[in-house]
Amino acid sequence: MSRKEKTPKRGGATRSTWLLKTEPAHYSFDDLVRDGRTVWDGVTNPLALKHLRAIRAQDRLLIYHTGTVRAVVGLALAASDPYPDPAKGDPRFVVLDVAPVRRLPKPVGLEAVKTHARCRSFELIRLPRLSVMPVPRPAWEAIMALAGCAGCE
């Protein structure tokens, strides 16, 4: 995501938007809502780790269910900056605290994203196996419109 595509944070700073993928049978958005906060771990792909390291506290997060669901289902916030994964003991691996914001009024399926003109440059389409990725502003706006979530933050 270019630095130009950031949204103002409270206090004048800026925040980015990211998509995090999860297998709902392993950990779903409903689990995140139930827990109130979780450590987002298990990311090992080098590019996904690069993106995870770029996330900052208060950045917006789209939660995407993989597997048979294949849809953006909820909004969350980065509740921390990334930090070394305490379970790995290797500074190359980082984790992030994530807190739920709200479930989307309507899940936005992968097919809807693929066919939307404003999502053509979105890594979700170009690199479908990537588990952490930036969300360009046009894709964010399209997904929010498709979800019936105008004004959702």
Side-chain angles (χ1 to χ4, degrees):
M1 170 177 279
S2 81
R3 297 289 171 196
K4 296 176 191 170
E5 294 180 359
K6 290 192 165 190
T7 302
K9 284 185 189 178
R10 289 183 209 118
T14 58
R15 66 179 169 177
S16 297
T17 304
W18 305 87
L19 182 135
L20 304 179
K21 289 184 178 179
T22 184
E23 170 56 53
H26 175 70
Y27 194 83
S28 70
F29 186 75
D30 289 336
D31 294 328
L32 177 58
V33 170
R34 179 198 65 224
D35 296 345
R37 184 175 176 137
T38 195
V39 175
W40 205 267
D41 61 3
V43 177
T44 58
N45 174 281
L47 182 55
L49 280 167
K50 176 183 174 186
H51 292 320
L52 192 63
R53 284 186 205 99
I55 297 174
R56 293 294 167 253
Q58 299 302 305
D59 278 356
R60 296 184 299 198
L61 307 171
L62 294 174
I63 304 300
Y64 179 91
H65 280 175
T66 61
T68 59
V69 178
R70 295 191 295 168
V72 179
V73 297
L75 300 175
L77 281 179
S80 73
D81 285 345
Y83 55 94
D85 186 340
K88 297 274 189 207
D90 183 335
R92 292 177 297 166
F93 296 101
V94 296
V95 296
L96 179 75
D97 295 339
V98 174
V101 173
R102 68 182 300 174
R103 176 172 281 287
L104 293 180
K106 295 185 298 190
V108 179
L110 179 60
E111 289 306 314
V113 173
K114 282 182 173 180
T115 59
H116 200 288
R118 298 192 76 195
C119 296
R120 286 196 181 119
S121 66
F122 193 10
E123 288 182 349
L124 182 62
I125 297 166
R126 296 183 315 102
L127 301 168
R129 295 188 49 85
L130 195 61
S131 63
V132 180
M133 64 192 70
V135 180
R137 180 176 295 280
W140 162 264
E141 292 169 352
I143 290 167
M144 291 299 98
L146 291 166
C149 204
C152 290
E153 285 296 319

